[in-house]
Amino acid sequence: MKKSVLLSFLLSILFSVGLFAQSSFKIHSHNDYLQKVPFWDAYSGGAQSIEADVILENGKLTVAHEKESIDPNKTLSSLYFEPIQKGLALGLIEEIDFTLLVDLKTEAYSTLDKVIEEAQKFESIFYSDSNPEGLKLIISGSRPKVEDYSKYPSFIEFDYQSRDLDASLPWDKIGMVSLSFRSFSVWNGKGRIVESELKPIEEFVAKVHSFNKPVRFWATPDSKTSWNAFAMMGVDYINTDDPKGAFDYLQVYRKNTFTQAERHDLYQPKFISQPNTPKQIILMIGDGMGLAQISAGMVGNGGQLNLGNLKQMALVKTHAADDFTTDSAAGATAYATGEKTNNRAIGVDPNGQILANLPEKIQPLGWNSGVVTTDQMTGATPSSFYAHHSERDDSAILASWLSKSPLNLFIGGGKKTFQTEMENLKNSGFQLAQSVEEIENSRSEKVGFFASQDGIPAMQDGRGVLFDESVEAALAFLKEKNKPFFLMVESGMIDSGGHANDSEKIVREMVNFDKVIGDVIKFADENSGTLVLVTADHETGGVALPQGNVKKGEVELSYYSDDHTGIMVPLFAYGAGSEEFSGIIENSEVHQIIMKLIQRK
């Protein structure tokens, strides 16, 4: 590649991704010379050890694996020494935080002498007493005898390749210790390495570390699972043909892995015989909650959830009227009205015509209704149960609908949006409570509580038991009226965790939601005729769970995106009429089944 093209590539890569800081995970770019742009691909990808196979042919150091593949234009100097020198001169390499592993494919002594001769042309970039921050070469492949290591310059170190390790070795000239992974294991990088093979590897790594030297294995499997495994084993240089992919994965692995500290005991449902017609219906929506989020919460809670005790299940298709992938507005509107609509629409059909929601439909039948959410009250899910508007972000318009709705109760955030609506809410009969406790003891026909001026905090930001107590208070208030009721309960921040690819938020919100689910199931057992439905409006993040540890409550979440996906979501049903929910159904059918149960004679 021409030098000008190389530098243009370098500028575009380094100034778009930035120079990488030292990482606790070190990447070894195996056979780096096979990359599209040797050295720069590895350096911009975060590698801290870069490998070049070298052949001495006709007095020239060419970079190739075997003589048949030699390209005379690809030399150790042109692919490595010159780019490093130019990078330092231009300030594109601020510091040398990497080594070059030079794998000699021809006779050790003559080839190494030529490497040193070539390096001396670039003396300013190499390590010396006067340049302690300079580049070091680690010589691998064909190497001199161990007793000769000390004869070579200070910028030359060696890749020691033996299990025979003792204090007599010239450790000051050994840059790393490397062995073939196949001498320890036949693991292919899928699943887990067996314990009988893992233990000798860990013992070897520990022995090398006892001499304060790094470890590398070659002939390794090359996958996310194996990168993770080697990092967890304490391997210092992780061998890969995809340095950027490995670096990116290992950098986010710790962020994507969370150990849940707050566990709750399960409530054991009694599965009491229930009447066919429910008198209380509690629809619980985990915004953004798919099977992976449920599974992550289960690991975070020590391998068990209240959801895991429920037996009646269905799968729900979430597509919007105008899009394969729904947003919360269209998803919640389907649950609230029984009709699919366009994304962004709240309580209206694709043509903008008002659709009656559940609270509006059941009020003439003598039912009360309420909404509890960890979101703002103008959030897409709660507003779908009281408002009608074609744009979910018109918060002021959505807020104006609350006083007109038949809701008997609301609890949520976002008081600031309702400042001009306070008198309307009071005039429509709402007692505006100042605390959750005030709701539980209220004898008003309608009560509301704004739990925050803006958003309600997430669990990781100190929400504590607010959600739990809000649902408890809502159930006590509605039960006291001695009328049938419908209550929508939303856990809104599983979704925001998915959007942010925030594993801690997903797990902690999921575990808290499950705690509330247990409380609601207990209420159902204590109040005959209660139907509990737990589902989601959609899945968020395209989440998968590559690995975890149930005993530790530790789980890794991997993300396909930072947006919603079109995958089906589960629905769990418990109590009166729960047998009606099974198979694969549309989200709009959930509403239709609820209405069928309410209207049963």
Side-chain angles (χ1 to χ4, degrees), residues 78 187 278 327 342 366 376 394 438 458 568:
S78 67
W187 183 51
D327 72 347
N342 295 342
Q376 299 192 37
D394 289 340
E438 191 176 336
M568 291 186 290

Short mmCIF file of all heavy atoms in Angstrom, two decimals, residues 78 187 278 327 342 366 376 394 438 458 568:
data_model
loop_
_atom_site.label_atom_id
_atom_site.label_comp_id
_atom_site.label_asym_id
_atom_site.label_seq_id
_atom_site.Cartn_x
_atom_site.Cartn_y
_atom_site.Cartn_z
N SER A 78 8.88 -2.06 6.22
CA SER A 78 7.81 -1.32 5.54
C SER A 78 6.46 -1.51 6.22
O SER A 78 5.64 -0.59 6.24
CB SER A 78 7.71 -1.76 4.07
OG SER A 78 7.29 -3.12 3.97
N TRP A 187 -10.65 -28.01 23.54
CA TRP A 187 -11.85 -27.17 23.55
C TRP A 187 -11.93 -26.32 22.30
O TRP A 187 -10.95 -25.71 21.88
CB TRP A 187 -11.82 -26.28 24.80
CG TRP A 187 -13.02 -25.41 24.99
CD1 TRP A 187 -14.31 -25.80 24.97
CD2 TRP A 187 -13.03 -24.01 25.25
NE1 TRP A 187 -15.15 -24.73 25.20
CE2 TRP A 187 -14.38 -23.61 25.38
CE3 TRP A 187 -12.03 -23.03 25.38
CZ2 TRP A 187 -14.75 -22.29 25.64
CZ3 TRP A 187 -12.40 -21.73 25.66
CH2 TRP A 187 -13.75 -21.37 25.78
N PRO A 278 -63.84 -12.88 36.32
CA PRO A 278 -63.04 -12.13 37.29
C PRO A 278 -63.77 -10.90 37.81
O PRO A 278 -64.57 -10.28 37.12
CB PRO A 278 -61.80 -11.73 36.48
CG PRO A 278 -62.26 -11.72 35.06
CD PRO A 278 -63.29 -12.78 34.94
N ASP A 327 -43.64 0.55 18.85
CA ASP A 327 -43.16 1.35 19.98
C ASP A 327 -44.14 1.15 21.13
O ASP A 327 -45.13 0.43 21.02
CB ASP A 327 -42.98 2.82 19.59
CG ASP A 327 -44.31 3.55 19.39
OD1 ASP A 327 -45.37 2.89 19.30
OD2 ASP A 327 -44.29 4.79 19.30
N ASN A 342 -50.91 2.82 14.63
CA ASN A 342 -49.58 3.19 14.16
C ASN A 342 -48.66 3.53 15.32
O ASN A 342 -49.12 3.97 16.39
CB ASN A 342 -49.66 4.40 13.23
CG ASN A 342 -50.40 4.11 11.95
OD1 ASN A 342 -50.59 2.95 11.57
ND2 ASN A 342 -50.85 5.17 11.27
N GLY A 366 -69.93 -0.72 35.78
CA GLY A 366 -69.79 -0.67 37.23
C GLY A 366 -68.40 -0.95 37.74
O GLY A 366 -68.23 -1.23 38.93
N GLN A 376 -43.25 8.52 33.83
CA GLN A 376 -44.09 9.70 33.97
C GLN A 376 -45.50 9.36 33.53
O GLN A 376 -45.71 8.49 32.68
CB GLN A 376 -43.53 10.87 33.16
CG GLN A 376 -42.13 11.29 33.59
CD GLN A 376 -41.70 12.61 32.99
OE1 GLN A 376 -42.48 13.53 32.85
NE2 GLN A 376 -40.42 12.72 32.66
N ASP A 394 -46.51 14.80 22.50
CA ASP A 394 -47.25 16.02 22.86
C ASP A 394 -47.75 15.88 24.30
O ASP A 394 -48.93 15.67 24.57
CB ASP A 394 -48.43 16.23 21.89
CG ASP A 394 -47.97 16.65 20.51
OD1 ASP A 394 -46.83 17.13 20.38
OD2 ASP A 394 -48.76 16.49 19.55
N GLU A 438 -51.18 8.19 52.02
CA GLU A 438 -52.42 8.94 51.93
C GLU A 438 -53.40 8.26 50.98
O GLU A 438 -54.62 8.28 51.20
CB GLU A 438 -52.13 10.37 51.48
CG GLU A 438 -53.31 11.32 51.63
CD GLU A 438 -52.94 12.74 51.25
OE1 GLU A 438 -51.74 13.09 51.33
OE2 GLU A 438 -53.85 13.51 50.87
N ALA A 458 -34.62 5.29 38.97
CA ALA A 458 -34.46 3.85 38.77
C ALA A 458 -34.02 3.22 40.08
O ALA A 458 -33.63 3.90 41.04
CB ALA A 458 -33.43 3.59 37.69
N MET A 568 -41.63 -11.94 19.65
CA MET A 568 -42.78 -12.12 20.54
C MET A 568 -42.36 -11.99 22.00
O MET A 568 -41.22 -12.24 22.36
CB MET A 568 -43.42 -13.50 20.31
CG MET A 568 -44.10 -13.65 18.97
SD MET A 568 -44.99 -15.23 18.80
CE MET A 568 -43.60 -16.36 18.71
#
